């Protein structure tokens, strides 16, 4: 009999296959990803596809007798871990990152400003510094298989928006428009001008 460890397995995990055979026997292994087809008493296999896989072994003794055994191994695919989100953002402006994960999967996010480290399928992000930022997500399916994805987001600083200018301006005979004094001076100046105009009209009529 063939012993397989682990079984089931996740895609990308190396399988250990072994058989009880005398040191003098000839062993021949078959199946996807076999590393040592004549390994006695064991070999490893690295499957290149997911799904059910059959591994076989033929043991031939030194006196010419042979026997064949098989083992069925289930190789589960890795969960999707591609991160969807913006490639650039601004400091202090929130954005979202998401991943296509089954509702039964466990999701773990990491990176600056992550709002919900276990958000499935998404989380909000609020970066606090500018520069390149790396965000990672690890998705673990209910069958135990995990996969990690990475996204790079360039965070730009906000532009300078400070207004430069005088705190007050002067008009109408040096009176400042800053506060009540400025308004009083303005009313007085207007009143003087009006009085002068009335005097001029009266003199013309009297003449």
């Amino acid at each position: 009999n063939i012993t397989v460890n682990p079984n089931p397995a996740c895609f990308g995990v190396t399988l250990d296959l072994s058989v009880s055979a005398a040191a003098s026997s000839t062993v021949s292994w078959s199946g996807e990803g076999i590393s040592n087809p004549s390994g006695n008493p064991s070999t490893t296999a690295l499957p290149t596809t997911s799904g059910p896989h059959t591994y076989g072994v033929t043991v031939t003794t030194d006196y010419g007798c042979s026997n064949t055994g098989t083992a069925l191994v289930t190789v589960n695919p890795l969960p999707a871990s591609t991160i969807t989100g913006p490639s650039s953002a601004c400091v202090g402006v929130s954005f979202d990152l998401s991943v296509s994960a089954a509702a039964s999967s466990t999701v773990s996010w990491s990176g600056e400003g992550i709002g919900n480290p276990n958000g499935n399928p998404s989380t909000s992000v609020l970066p606090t510094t500018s520069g390149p930022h790396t965000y990672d997500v690890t998705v673990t399916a209910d069958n135990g298989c995990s996969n990690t994805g990475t996204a790079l987001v360039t965070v730009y600083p906000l532009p300078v928006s400070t207004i430069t200018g005088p705190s007050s301006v002067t008009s109408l005979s040096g009176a400042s428009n800053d506060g009540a004094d400025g308004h009083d001076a303005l009313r007085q100046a207007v009143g003087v001008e009006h009085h002068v105009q009335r005097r001029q009209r009266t003199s013309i009529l009297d003449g």
Side-chain angles (χ1 to χ4, degrees):
N1 293 334
I2 301 175
T3 301
V4 182
N5 184 43
N7 187 20
C10 297
F11 180 76
V13 173
T14 299
L15 306 175
D16 292 319
L17 307 174
S18 61
V19 65
S20 297
S24 59
S25 297
T26 300
V27 177
S28 177
W29 295 94
S30 64
E32 187 177 86
I34 291 290
S35 62
N36 183 7
S38 57
N40 183 4
S42 65
T43 187
T44 60
L46 183 60
T48 57
T49 60
S50 60
H53 290 277
T54 299
Y55 290 92
V57 65
T58 299
V59 181
T60 304
T61 64
D62 51 0
Y63 47 85
C65 294
S66 297
N67 197 10
T68 299
T70 60
L72 181 65
V73 180
T74 300
V75 178
N76 293 313
L78 299 181
S81 62
T82 301
I83 298 174
T84 301
S87 60
S88 63
C90 298
V91 170
V93 178
S94 180
F95 60 90
D96 292 330
L97 296 177
S98 62
V99 65
S100 295
S104 58
S105 297
T106 300
V107 177
S108 178
W109 296 92
S110 63
E112 183 182 272
I114 290 292
N116 183 4
N118 302 118
N120 182 4
S122 64
T123 183
S124 61
V125 182
L126 184 62
T128 57
T129 61
S130 60
H133 292 279
T134 299
Y135 293 94
D136 298 317
V137 65
T138 298
V139 181
T140 303
D142 52 4
N143 60 17
C145 295
S146 296
N147 202 8
T148 298
T150 300
L152 180 65
V153 179
T154 301
V155 179
Y156 294 100
L158 298 179
V160 176
S161 59
T162 302
I163 299 175
T164 301
S167 60
S168 62
V169 294
T170 302
S171 62
L172 295 177
S173 302
S176 171
N177 70 347
D178 185 13
D181 292 341
H183 289 293
D184 292 342
L186 179 61
R187 285 193 295 269
Q188 291 174 5
V190 172
V192 169
E193 179 66 20
H194 183 65
H195 178 70
V196 170
Q197 292 176 354
R198 290 182 60 190
R199 290 282 304 270
Q200 291 175 344
R201 286 196 297 270
T202 301
S203 298
I204 293 173
L205 292 174
D206 293 342

